[in-house]
Amino acid sequence: MEGQELPYVLVDSIGERFGVYEDHLGFLKKRFHLITMKEYLENKMFLSKKIRAIYIWYHRPAINEELLQSLPNLKVVASAGVGIDHLDLKLLSSYGVKVSNTPFVVSTDTADMGMALLLASARRLVEGHEMAVSPDTEYFPADWLGVEVSGATLGILGMGTIGYKVAERAKAFEMKILYHNRNQRKKEEESAVGAVYCKKLDDLLQQSDFVLLAVTLTPQTHKLIGKRELELMKPTATLINVSRGLVVDQDALVEALQNKVIKAAALDVTYPEPLPRDHPLLKLKNVIVTPHIGSATKKTRWVMMEEMAESIEAGLAGLPVPREVLP
């Protein structure tokens, strides 16, 4: 793009809590003129017609109609990750703006995270670590036991790319695999991982020792797992969530854990994030909570950034947008 002005791209910030990573800047600044929200708000008169794309990292900057009205030349919004519940796709489409995300690059790491949470919960790794390093520990109790993973039944709710990769990993642990999905997978795909389709969610919940959630957050999956669903699960079962916090009715989950309706939960996602420091989920011994780090590896975050840049460049050149999300 030598001799041409670089396209202006709006970002939330650089560095800081939710900003573009510092080690991504060299790559991005060769391709775009990055404008932070602070810079934009301080100089809207000049910048409003310049900005042609928005780069969304950690769901920021937030896009609403007021912002869209102020950016008449906006062509494309590139969002990191797989979830798009933070975007109003119909609103963006009404302004002629194309949207992309990075759904496939996150799947391997998120599947790894799902298995890590399953194993950590089953073998009580967090509790065990706390016991091992506690200054009050004088001995390790012989009856301090976890539960077996090998031979246990894993129910996967949402058999998309992430769910299927979890199944591949669970097969290596000799687990029995059930799954519930909007559409049944091909027979050869089921056979490859030894997965059995449950047309009814209730059947999966009643049979599984571990229930792993890997669905997209939509109006249909909002609080999909509530009081009724938790009561269908085995009292020895563990719930694992690597999708979105709002897929679970969190109040119902707290009650189920406190009353031993289910054995445990391992959550990479909650609502809100982070939870208030006095939230009951943070006080329960049978819960593991991690800070939404399913895709948080250096390599994956770099590839996410590259894919977002690719989508912006394609959209601004009038080419088909890779990984476009349609309303």
Side-chain angles (χ1 to χ4, degrees):
M1 300 189 70
E2 195 173 340
Q4 293 182 329
E5 185 179 47
L6 294 176
Y8 280 58
V9 175
L10 182 65
V11 301
D12 183 77
S13 54
I14 292 171
E16 303 177 7
R17 286 178 63 198
F18 305 111
V20 176
Y21 291 166
E22 296 280 357
D23 62 349
H24 291 183
L25 282 179
F27 182 95
L28 292 170
K29 283 188 172 181
K30 287 179 181 178
R31 291 157 177 80
F32 311 120
H33 191 74
L34 301 180
I35 303 296
T36 66
M37 277 298 293
K38 183 176 184 293
E39 291 169 331
Y40 169 68
L41 294 172
E42 289 173 349
N43 197 6
K44 285 178 74 171
M45 184 83 67
F46 172 73
L47 292 172
S48 62
K49 292 183 180 179
K50 287 277 192 179
I51 291 169
R52 300 178 63 206
I54 300 178
Y55 180 100
I56 298 183
W57 199 251
Y58 286 103
H59 295 186
R60 291 171 173 81
I63 298 178
N64 54 30
E65 188 150 21
E66 181 182 358
L67 181 62
L68 291 172
Q69 287 174 347
S70 71
L71 301 175
N73 295 317
L74 184 67
K75 299 297 181 188
V76 60
V77 167
S79 182
V82 61
I84 42 87
D85 47 282
H86 56 290
L87 296 173
D88 187 333
L89 297 179
K90 289 184 178 178
L91 177 64
L92 286 158
S93 179
S94 72
Y95 280 84
V97 177
K98 295 193 173 184
V99 177
S100 73
N101 64 349
T102 62
F104 304 113
V105 66
V106 306
S107 57
T108 296
D109 282 347
T110 306
D112 287 347
M113 188 68 190
M115 282 304 298
L117 287 171
L118 188 157
L119 292 165
S121 182
R123 300 307 302 270
R124 301 171 69 185
L125 292 190
V126 175
E127 289 178 83
H129 169 76
E130 290 172 349
M131 180 195 302
V133 302
S134 171
D136 300 323
T137 297
E138 297 178 0
Y139 64 91
F140 297 152
D143 61 350
W144 193 86
L145 305 173
V147 297
E148 283 194 356
V149 171
S150 179
T153 299
L154 170 63
I156 301 173
L157 178 49
M159 196 63 136
T161 308
I162 293 170
Y164 194 79
K165 284 181 177 287
V166 170
E168 290 176 325
R169 286 150 178 74
K171 182 187 178 187
F173 282 87
E174 301 174 351
M175 300 187 80
K176 300 169 187 174
I177 301 166
L178 307 176
Y179 77 98
H180 175 76
N181 202 44
R182 284 176 299 177
N183 301 304
Q184 185 171 357
R185 283 268 186 170
K186 294 176 182 177
K187 291 297 181 185
E188 54 267 32
E189 292 173 334
E190 292 180 338
S191 298
V193 294
V196 175
Y197 180 61
C198 291
K199 188 173 182 179
K200 294 181 179 179
L201 173 59
D202 289 7
D203 292 339
L204 179 146
L205 295 173
Q206 290 169 333
Q207 297 177 63
S208 299
D209 299 302
F210 300 89
V211 174
L212 184 140
L213 309 178
V215 297
T216 302
L217 178 60
T218 66
Q220 290 72 39
T221 61
H222 181 267
K223 294 191 178 179
L224 181 63
I225 301 298
K227 180 179 172 64
R228 188 189 77 87
E229 289 74 24
L230 291 163
E231 288 177 348
L232 286 173
M233 292 171 62
K234 296 179 181 180
T236 54
T238 297
L239 180 72
I240 302 142
N241 192 2
V242 293
S243 55
R244 284 290 187 268
L246 281 165
V247 171
V248 177
D249 182 335
Q250 216 158 249
D251 293 336
L253 177 60
V254 169
E255 186 179 334
L257 291 163
Q258 289 173 335
N259 296 329
K260 299 183 179 179
V261 173
I262 64 171
K263 182 180 180 64
L267 314 169
D268 188 42
V269 288
T270 58
Y271 65 91
E273 292 175 351
L275 289 169
R277 297 298 85 187
D278 60 350
H279 196 282
L281 274 177
L282 303 181
K283 296 175 169 53
L284 294 170
K285 287 287 187 183
N286 53 346
V287 177
I288 296 173
V289 181
T290 52
H292 202 154
I293 52 174
S295 67
T297 65
K298 193 166 186 176
K299 180 181 177 181
T300 289
R301 292 290 168 88
W302 180 271
V303 176
M304 287 167 67
M305 177 272 295
E306 287 182 318
E307 290 190 354
M308 292 166 69
E310 179 190 10
S311 294
I312 290 172
E313 289 177 326
L316 297 186
L319 300 172
V321 175
R323 298 162 296 277
E324 182 177 359
V325 182
L326 300 174

